[in-house]
Amino acid sequence: MKLIECYNLETAYIASLNRPILNGINFHINQGEFVVLLGLNGAGKSTLLRSLLGLVPLVSGEIYVHGVQITPQTLRKVRRDIGMLFQGGGLIQQLSAIENVLCGRLGVRTTGQTLFGFPERDRILALELLEQLGLKEQIYQKTSRLSGGQQQRVAIARALIQSPQILLADEPTTGLDVVASQQVMQTLAQLNSEQGLTIITVLHDLGIAAEYAQRAIVLDAGRIVYDGKCNNLQAQFAQGFKLVETYKEYEE
């Protein structure tokens, strides 16, 4: 079942790049897939990811989620099904873990409702999510005191409290050590395999992509140059588009 469909996506022309960031993007993503977006710096990975949430204006092209085209009129409805992990987590450092998770409910509550705090069912759900993600001991700690991996799991819980069908993650392992990166990716993989959550994430590590994702979409200069399985991605880079050495230099 096609969950996301993108047709001929093109963004505004960027003089410094001498091209649009996205330049004729076509693909679809099925329900329950774990997809990774790869490419060099400036290839358009994060721009493509954000366009799926309606955060990037398009010059031309169409995006459909559950068969509903993203327009200013449908954006609020479409976003109800999508959770987003922004690069760096985007948490409020002075708030506790549970308070940050509850912020994920603000989008479905009116200003008046927010003044009276969150209902008990929201607090219970937030507690359950943090416990499921291995953060039972950190529930009431300020996020500024948590490790990078713990903060990223709080951000995942904040996205999950929206009960999304799609989870977008913009470089969720950036700034994390090897152990924390693996913990975050294992969490995403578990959500995909056990709950059927459709996950689309931007990564810059070919090894992590090959280990956890089912499908890779590789961009170069705003175009898709590879769309397929994650098997032997290093060889795909070297043989298909001769980017592997440059890619390694970018990682270093």
Side-chain angles (χ1 to χ4, degrees), residues 34 36 85-89 148-149 152 156 169-188 201-206 208-209 212 251:
F34 192 148
V36 60
L85 295 179
F86 291 97
Q87 193 172 145
Q152 197 62 285
I156 292 172
D170 192 1
E171 299 197 26
T173 60
T174 295
L176 303 183
D177 59 30
V178 174
V179 173
S181 295
Q182 289 178 340
Q183 289 175 343
V184 169
M185 292 305 299
Q186 285 168 1
T187 298
L188 295 179
T201 180
V202 171
L203 290 177
H204 63 271
D205 189 305
L206 297 178
I208 290 179
Y212 293 100
E251 285 185 313

Side-chain angles (χ1 to χ4, degrees), residues 187-239:
T187 298
L188 295 179
Q190 189 173 11
L191 291 169
N192 172 255
S193 62
E194 295 183 2
Q195 299 184 23
L197 190 63
T198 301
I199 295 177
I200 308 164
T201 180
V202 171
L203 290 177
H204 63 271
D205 189 305
L206 297 178
I208 290 179
E211 182 175 357
Y212 293 100
Q214 303 156 355
R215 173 183 168 194
I217 296 176
V218 182
L219 288 88
D220 181 38
R223 296 181 180 273
I224 294 176
V225 293
Y226 175 79
D227 183 352
K229 295 182 179 180
C230 290
N231 300 341
N232 203 16
L233 280 175
Q234 291 279 6
Q236 293 286 359
F237 264 89
Q239 296 173 10

Side-chain angles (χ1 to χ4, degrees), residues 20-230:
I21 296 180
L22 300 181
N23 190 12
I25 296 289
N26 291 277
F27 70 96
H28 71 266
I29 293 175
N30 295 321
Q31 187 168 350
E33 282 194 287
F34 192 148
V35 181
V36 60
L37 304 180
L38 296 166
L40 299 173
N41 192 24
K45 308 180 299 297
S46 293
T47 298
L48 178 56
L49 189 78
R50 289 167 178 261
S51 73
L52 302 180
L53 200 59
L55 296 175
V56 175
L58 299 175
V59 171
S60 62
E62 300 171 343
I63 301 174
Y64 294 85
V65 178
H66 273 307
V68 177
Q69 184 179 357
I70 295 181
T71 67
Q73 293 72 36
T74 64
L75 191 55
R76 185 177 178 87
K77 176 182 178 182
V78 169
R79 284 179 174 173
R80 290 174 186 166
D81 291 331
I82 303 176
M84 179 76 186
L85 295 179
F86 291 97
Q87 193 172 145
L91 300 177
I92 302 173
Q93 295 295 308
Q94 62 267 36
L95 296 183
S96 66
I98 188 171
E99 289 170 333
N100 268 285
V101 174
L102 286 169
C103 286
R105 296 293 296 166
L106 292 175
V108 297
R109 296 177 61 78
T110 66
T111 303
Q113 289 174 327
T114 304
L115 292 175
F116 295 99
F118 295 94
E120 187 63 19
R121 63 178 179 275
D122 285 352
R123 298 189 68 85
I124 292 173
L125 179 56
L127 289 169
E128 290 176 348
L129 287 169
L130 288 168
E131 289 184 13
Q132 289 170 14
L133 294 175
L135 296 170
K136 184 177 181 179
E137 303 301 321
Q138 289 78 31
I139 288 173
Y140 298 105
Q141 287 187 25
K142 287 186 177 181
T143 52
S144 59
R145 299 179 181 174
L146 303 182
S147 68
Q150 289 171 335
Q151 289 191 31
Q152 197 62 285
R153 279 180 282 160
V154 172
I156 292 172
R158 183 184 59 187
L160 293 179
I161 202 170
Q162 304 171 45
S163 299
Q165 296 186 38
I166 303 164
L167 182 61
L168 309 178
D170 192 1
E171 299 197 26
T173 60
T174 295
L176 303 183
D177 59 30
V178 174
V179 173
S181 295
Q182 289 178 340
Q183 289 175 343
V184 169
M185 292 305 299
Q186 285 168 1
T187 298
L188 295 179
Q190 189 173 11
L191 291 169
N192 172 255
S193 62
E194 295 183 2
Q195 299 184 23
L197 190 63
T198 301
I199 295 177
I200 308 164
T201 180
V202 171
L203 290 177
H204 63 271
D205 189 305
L206 297 178
I208 290 179
E211 182 175 357
Y212 293 100
Q214 303 156 355
R215 173 183 168 194
I217 296 176
V218 182
L219 288 88
D220 181 38
R223 296 181 180 273
I224 294 176
V225 293
Y226 175 79
D227 183 352
K229 295 182 179 180
C230 290

